[in-house]
Amino acid sequence: MVQDPNFPPNLNIKPLSNQGDWGDAFSHKSQAAAIEKYGIAGRVWEAAYALMLYVNPSTGPHEWLFDPPFIAANPSPPLPTVMIELGSGTGIVASVLGRLGGTVIVTDLPEVCPLLKANLRHQSELFVRPLSWGNEEHVLQIQKEFLSDKPLTDIVCSDLVYFPELLAPLLRTLLHLTAIHSPRIIISYKIRSLPKETPFWTAFGLYFTFQPVLLRRDPDSEWERFGLSFEDTMFTFVAYRRSESRQWSIPSADSQLLAGVGTQGTDTPKGDDSFDCLLLMTMAT
């Protein structure tokens, strides 16, 4: 029997205390009820709050400046956006994305979609669809419905890098979604267990370039890495697919995918050290 990733053994989690006016759907009481029914997917996670601040700084106590900003100042001409969020859970990040305009596709496991539809029922601009990581058929269905005449512009992820068995399927879905176009990928990430999570980043960096988002609290302050002042070690990354990687053979075995087999045109296992370098810089500061 396949273990439900939202109900791991000995699950014991509590709702995240509201960091602002999140609305009734994401209140402490609503999270508690959702956790009971949907497990991990029913909780608002810390990296989701960080991502909400990045997407819309006015949701926080201060209007901070970010580099790069989520929304470019006065783009000319304004570009239509088609965003997809992976592992949306409660839908709290999607609720903020929906206020920005454009098309927003909100995804999670099929069994979590009822929670998303309930929480986001008042936002008609959001489209809830099933997308199990690693399931190419789910990706193809979304592409056929939403991307036949316009490119995907953004992939949004928050607190998705945690269970070792889900790392390869998550990477595989990111590769599926970037196979043709080059959408911007925004990943908000809280470190929980580096030995378990680092294999994702060493493989991810082979296929994608990525950099941390920087923060300036006011016009007179210095730039710092966004997340540096959080109680937990947090990163928000902006990433793009390496164009040459589309010519590489992607292995079907998850273990080989995480080992970098097929990247750079060879079957030799390899890894990228960008994430390790960022960690060293974080320790130095």
Side-chain angles (χ1 to χ4, degrees):
M1 181 177 179
V2 178
Q3 174 69 47
D4 185 341
N6 283 313
F7 287 95
N10 304 314
L11 177 65
N12 182 22
I13 57 175
K14 305 296 181 184
L16 180 67
S17 298
N18 287 24
Q19 307 294 315
D21 184 13
W22 290 351
D24 291 342
F26 312 109
S27 67
H28 191 280
K29 180 179 179 181
S30 295
Q31 287 183 66
I35 289 169
E36 185 72 21
K37 187 173 183 179
Y38 296 99
I40 286 174
R43 186 184 191 267
V44 174
W45 294 94
E46 290 80 359
Y49 175 63
L51 187 53
M52 290 162 61
L53 288 177
Y54 178 51
V55 170
N56 185 3
S58 64
T59 60
H62 309 286
E63 293 202 21
W64 292 334
L65 301 173
F66 293 102
D67 182 25
F70 185 81
I71 301 177
N74 302 318
S76 181
L79 298 175
T81 58
V82 182
M83 295 183 278
I84 185 168
E85 185 188 11
L86 302 181
S88 301
T90 63
I92 191 168
V93 172
S95 71
V96 177
L97 294 173
R99 301 169 197 160
L100 304 179
T103 301
V104 182
I105 308 158
V106 190
T107 72
D108 211 306
L109 293 169
E111 56 267 30
V112 179
C113 287
L115 173 64
L116 287 167
K117 290 179 179 178
N119 286 352
L120 304 173
R121 63 188 180 278
H122 299 303
Q123 292 183 259
S124 59
E125 68 278 10
L126 301 176
F127 301 90
V128 176
R129 296 293 184 271
L131 201 172
S132 303
W133 301 343
N135 188 319
E136 189 172 11
E137 182 59 34
H138 283 174
V139 172
L140 291 173
Q141 289 173 0
I142 289 172
Q143 289 174 331
K144 181 178 180 180
E145 182 177 1
F146 296 99
L147 305 174
S148 60
D149 59 349
K150 49 192 173 185
L152 181 65
T153 59
D154 297 276
I155 303 172
V156 178
C157 313
S158 67
D159 248 332
L160 303 187
V161 180
Y162 48 94
F163 287 150
E165 60 269 25
L166 297 180
L167 301 182
L170 173 59
L171 177 57
R172 201 176 296 280
T173 288
L174 290 171
L175 294 173
H176 288 158
L177 289 169
T178 58
I180 299 175
H181 300 290
S182 298
R184 176 181 59 167
I185 303 173
I186 296 98
I187 302 180
S188 186
Y189 164 61
K190 173 186 171 180
I191 294 178
R192 290 183 170 82
S193 174
L194 281 174
K196 294 180 180 180
E197 296 157 2
T198 298
F200 173 83
W201 297 111
T202 58
F204 179 81
L206 292 169
Y207 290 97
F208 300 88
T209 62
F210 62 102
Q211 63 177 357
V213 172
L214 302 180
L215 160 71
R216 190 161 70 178
R217 298 174 183 276
D218 59 68
D220 298 323
S221 64
E222 298 290 328
W223 289 99
E224 63 182 71
R225 180 180 60 76
F226 178 45
L228 188 64
S229 61
F230 283 38
E231 182 177 344
D232 301 298
T233 304
M234 204 97 65
F235 289 89
T236 299
F237 295 119
V238 173
Y240 291 92
R241 179 82 179 260
R242 297 182 188 272
S243 59
E244 67 272 19
S245 71
R246 294 189 177 90
Q247 309 303 317
W248 301 341
S249 176
I250 299 175
S252 58
D254 287 352
S255 59
Q256 291 186 343
L257 179 64
L258 290 180
V261 173
T263 60
Q264 300 172 5
T266 76
D267 290 334
T268 305
K270 58 191 76 71
D272 178 79
D273 64 356
S274 299
F275 182 68
D276 290 337
C277 293
L278 286 170
L279 284 179
L280 290 173
M281 292 172 61
T282 297
M283 294 171 61
T285 55

